[in-house]
Amino acid sequence: QVQLMQSGAEVKKPGASVKVSCKTSGYTFTGYYIHWVRQAPGQGLEWMGRVNANSGGTKYAQKFQGRVTMTRDRSTTTAYIELSGLRSEDTAVYYCARVPIVVGTPRDYGMDVWGQGTTVTVSS
Amino acid sequence: SYVLTQPPSMSVAPGQTARITCGGNNIGSKSVHWYQQRPGQAPVLVVYDDSDRPSGIPERFSGSNSGNTATLTISRVEAGDEADYYCQVWDTSSDPSYVFGIGTKVTVV
């Protein structure tokens, strides 16, 4: 079955970097984008960006430009997000989710499978 | 950036119908997706592209989208439907490109 399995919880100090992985299985990795969405405690969902699992091309939310890097490894069907310059406001659960790559249409199909989430805590 | 407006909360009795709205400028021209998030769990896609259901989602969940309002309808509400519900769109001319509403907490009373 389709699965997105994320790495475990992280505790980091302000100013440090964190890298979270999203290991995929059960589908054709290169047919999808991997998106990253975070959720601060008690708050809503916030989109951070996406990586094209086929080409490696990325699109980031302006808010995170310069601090975030999203990559993928086709050989291990794993996607990664790295966030640098951590501050307390980055404390959140980070989710990966897949969206099919569809060309020739302005429609899209939503994030149909999500990882279980990775808790990142930033504290001195 | 593109803004989606949802009511923060609503209450519904078991067996009744819940209608959750998502407002946005000319949202009828966009694909709207809806996610259910139970406490401590990852979101689950319940409606995509305005009105389609992923496999495994009950027919009780339906969606519509026209003008400036999209709506998620939950018929014959059950206790297990108690959750936060988020609408989401993709707006290529906006930043961020993928936008979520603030979420609506549905309480079954």
Side-chain angles (χ1 to χ4, degrees), chain A residues 10-20 38 48 64 67 82-92 94 120-123:
Chain A
E10 303 267 9
V11 179
K12 296 292 183 180
K13 293 197 182 303
S17 297
V18 69
K19 190 170 185 176
V20 176
R38 75 177 187 180
M48 301 181 69
F64 301 103
R67 282 210 304 145
E82 185 169 21
L83 188 63
S84 62
L86 290 171
R87 32 204 189 233
S88 59
E89 310 90 89
D90 294 317
T91 294
Y94 289 73
V120 175
T121 303
V122 183
S123 173

Side-chain angles (χ1 to χ4, degrees), chain A residues 35 37 39 43-47 50 59-63 95 106-112 114-116, chain B residues 28-31 33 35 37 41-45 48-50 86 88 90 95-98 100-102:
Chain A
H35 291 245
V37 175
Q39 187 170 38
Q43 302 300 307
L45 302 172
E46 180 177 33
W47 182 76
R50 72 176 190 196
K59 184 173 179 65
Y60 303 140
Q62 184 70 27
K63 175 178 178 177
Y95 294 101
R107 312 297 283 183
D108 78 313
Y109 298 94
M111 301 175 192
D112 68 342
W114 294 62
Q116 81 277 21
Chain B
S29 67
K30 305 180 188 305
S31 290
H33 316 302
Y35 302 89
Q37 187 179 33
Q41 297 187 19
V44 173
L45 181 68
Y48 68 94
D49 198 15
D50 299 341
Y86 295 89
Q88 179 250 311
W90 172 39
D95 178 78
S97 300
Y98 289 78
F100 289 94
I102 64 167

Side-chain angles (χ1 to χ4, degrees), chain A residues 2 9 24 28 42 50-51 54-55 61 65 68 77 81 85 87 90 99 116:
Chain A
V2 177
T24 75
T28 302
R50 72 176 190 196
V51 59
N54 185 39
S55 69
Q65 288 275 4
V68 71
T77 66
I81 182 172
R87 32 204 189 233
D90 294 317
V99 174
Q116 81 277 21

